[in-house]
Amino acid sequence: MTHWKEVIRNADVLISENKIAEAVVLMEAALFDNPDVALLHNNIGWAYLHHLENPERAFVHLEYAAKIDPRLVSVRIHLATYWNHKGLFRLAETELRAALEGENPDRPYILYLLARNYELLTEWTMATRTYKEALMKPTRLYVKNVLAALAQHNITALAHITGGGLIENPPRVIAEGLQA
């Protein structure tokens, strides 16, 4: 039996190779042994929503992931995307507000999504106010951590990973013919 974290790593490799359907099959198979792993459901839901154009299957996985771990920010963002696609902007707003609870390094991005949502609702004052809050939020700096890592390891490339960037950014810094 493969550990679900290894399954997610293997699925990420398949996704980076644009083998989305294969990644979903791999993760869904892991659900038989790990039915209550929110991250598996979240990642499957993301793939169905954004790549396999099956929003109803996406919703089933995302809703279940939110029940398992209501604090999982990425699932809230994906659910907001789902509701926006359905034209249910108030439900999207609810999901984005839930994603803003607690400390979160992705807060400016979530505020940006919330402001876009207010635009869809034609609530211009709230959109403007939310954009301002997003812009005024200071960026979390990782300089000390990065310098320490550079001093200890032979690092040849760095990428700032947020949201889906873990899939899109690493291939940009990996030489042709190599993989991570």
Side-chain angles (χ1 to χ4, degrees), residues 2-81:
T2 305
H3 192 274
W4 65 266
K5 289 181 182 178
E6 185 178 334
V7 168
I8 288 177
R9 281 192 296 274
N10 293 338
D12 284 345
V13 169
L14 289 170
I15 290 167
S16 72
E17 297 169 351
N18 204 29
K19 298 176 182 175
I20 312 297
E22 290 178 43
V24 169
V25 168
L26 182 66
M27 290 185 289
E28 285 182 332
L31 285 178
F32 287 107
D33 294 324
N34 309 281
D36 293 328
V37 176
L39 201 53
L40 275 172
H41 286 283
N42 177 66
N43 290 8
I44 293 167
W46 168 85
Y48 276 124
L49 185 63
H50 295 289
H51 293 282
L52 300 179
E53 298 180 20
N54 191 334
E56 300 314 315
R57 283 200 71 179
F59 179 72
V60 169
H61 285 285
L62 295 171
E63 185 180 49
Y64 193 64
K67 286 178 183 173
I68 297 168
D69 187 356
R71 297 166 302 171
L72 188 59
V73 171
S74 56
V75 77
R76 296 294 177 187
I77 293 171
H78 300 320
L79 280 168
T81 302

Side-chain angles (χ1 to χ4, degrees), residues 31-135:
L31 285 178
F32 287 107
D33 294 324
N34 309 281
D36 293 328
V37 176
L39 201 53
L40 275 172
H41 286 283
N42 177 66
N43 290 8
I44 293 167
W46 168 85
Y48 276 124
L49 185 63
H50 295 289
H51 293 282
L52 300 179
E53 298 180 20
N54 191 334
E56 300 314 315
R57 283 200 71 179
F59 179 72
V60 169
H61 285 285
L62 295 171
E63 185 180 49
Y64 193 64
K67 286 178 183 173
I68 297 168
D69 187 356
R71 297 166 302 171
L72 188 59
V73 171
S74 56
V75 77
R76 296 294 177 187
I77 293 171
H78 300 320
L79 280 168
T81 302
Y82 171 82
W83 292 123
N84 278 334
H85 283 292
K86 292 286 193 183
L88 299 168
F89 307 125
R90 289 288 176 211
L91 290 173
E93 177 187 6
T94 301
E95 294 297 342
L96 292 169
R97 290 205 169 280
L100 286 170
E101 292 176 9
E103 266 308 302
N104 184 337
D106 291 327
R107 185 175 180 81
Y109 175 66
I110 298 165
L111 286 167
Y112 163 77
L113 294 176
L114 185 58
R116 295 279 315 263
N117 197 69
Y118 284 130
E119 287 181 12
L120 295 170
L121 288 163
T122 65
E123 293 181 6
W124 309 115
T125 303
M126 286 300 295
T128 302
R129 186 178 300 147
T130 307
Y131 278 126
K132 285 180 182 178
E133 185 180 347
L135 291 170

